[in-house]
Amino acid sequence: MASNKAARDGEKIWKTNIDKVNAELVTLTYGTMVAQLCSDFNNKYSEVNKQLDKMGYNIGMRLIEDFFAKSGLQRCSNFRETAETISKIGFKMFLNITPTVANWSADNKSFSLIFDESPLADFVELPNDGKAQDELWFSNIFCGILRGALEMVQMQVEAHYVSDVLRGNDTTEMRVTLLRYMEDEMPPDDE
């Protein structure tokens, strides 16, 4: 799938097939959830990151069905096509954003998603406790969503943030690495 076609498809699906939700409502609700997790885990941000990833994984496992139903697309033929589809159709469909696919590894098994914007991070300031700036990945739910969704189409990936504007970095970048193509097998217990 060509990059331009994916962008056109993403825009068309966003305009015609998606029920819209107020972005500020989503942002504030997500921020409240993250704040509650920080409180529940006594600001142990590594645990908060794990919980956000786990929540995202469970969402992604179910969201992929909605993606296929609304997009009318078939499975991608390779990991490069998968990256373009995630960026230009998946993120566009559900969040009306289009992160840039960049920094491919030589073996085409790893890429970055560069976010110019993130609706989850609007109105957000990380806690000024000397730890959050170094430990909390506020939008870590996206990593879990990608892992869960891709696992349902037999791709085991690792996804993690390498930078975030909320932490004072110049860009927000997520790294996605294909670990393996899976045989038809049941997903692990998602608890």
Side-chain angles (χ1 to χ4, degrees):
M1 175 182 295
S3 180
N4 288 337
K5 182 180 180 333
R8 283 191 309 275
D9 288 347
E11 188 66 31
K12 178 183 174 195
I13 293 165
W14 168 255
K15 287 180 178 178
T16 60
N17 292 3
I18 301 299
D19 295 327
K20 313 301 188 287
V21 177
N22 184 299
E24 289 178 358
L25 175 64
V26 172
T27 300
L28 296 174
T29 303
Y30 181 77
T32 301
M33 182 186 69
V34 174
Q36 185 62 51
L37 285 171
C38 290
S39 175
D40 290 351
F41 289 99
N42 298 317
N43 293 337
K44 292 180 183 162
Y45 299 117
S46 62
E47 285 301 315
V48 173
N49 293 336
K50 286 178 191 173
Q51 288 301 312
L52 291 171
D53 183 81
K54 186 176 180 179
M55 289 174 178
Y57 178 83
N58 290 329
I59 292 167
M61 289 178 67
R62 289 154 184 83
L63 197 63
I64 191 72
E65 292 176 22
D66 197 37
F67 171 82
F68 282 124
K70 290 183 177 171
S71 70
L73 297 174
Q74 301 297 314
R75 289 186 186 187
C76 298
S77 60
N78 59 53
F79 200 50
R80 275 192 174 270
E81 184 180 348
T82 300
E84 292 296 326
T85 301
I86 290 167
S87 168
K88 294 181 175 57
I89 300 175
F91 274 101
K92 184 67 176 182
M93 272 178 67
F94 295 110
L95 295 169
N96 195 26
I97 62 172
T98 307
T100 303
V101 177
N103 306 324
W104 278 96
S105 63
D107 63 1
N108 287 325
K109 290 187 177 185
S110 188
F111 65 91
S112 292
L113 290 172
I114 311 293
F115 295 84
D116 294 328
E117 59 183 321
S118 174
L120 297 183
D122 289 345
F123 317 117
V124 173
E125 290 183 23
L126 295 182
N128 191 13
D129 63 0
K131 295 184 342 183
Q133 295 286 334
D134 297 326
E135 297 175 17
L136 179 62
W137 295 107
F138 186 81
S139 299
N140 211 44
I141 198 165
F142 288 156
C143 295
I145 289 171
L146 287 182
R147 281 189 329 98
L150 291 176
E151 198 164 292
M152 295 307 289
V153 292
Q154 281 70 44
M155 286 184 221
Q156 184 178 19
V157 299
E158 175 187 289
H160 64 276
Y161 281 94
V162 294
S163 65
D164 191 340
V165 293
L166 292 175
R167 291 174 145 203
N169 302 115
D170 293 334
T171 61
T172 299
E173 177 180 346
M174 180 196 302
R175 194 81 184 143
V176 181
T177 303
L178 176 65
L179 301 176
R180 68 183 179 106
Y181 288 101
M182 301 166 22
E183 300 295 322
D184 284 334
E185 50 189 68
M186 295 298 295
D189 183 19
D190 61 9
E191 299 177 36

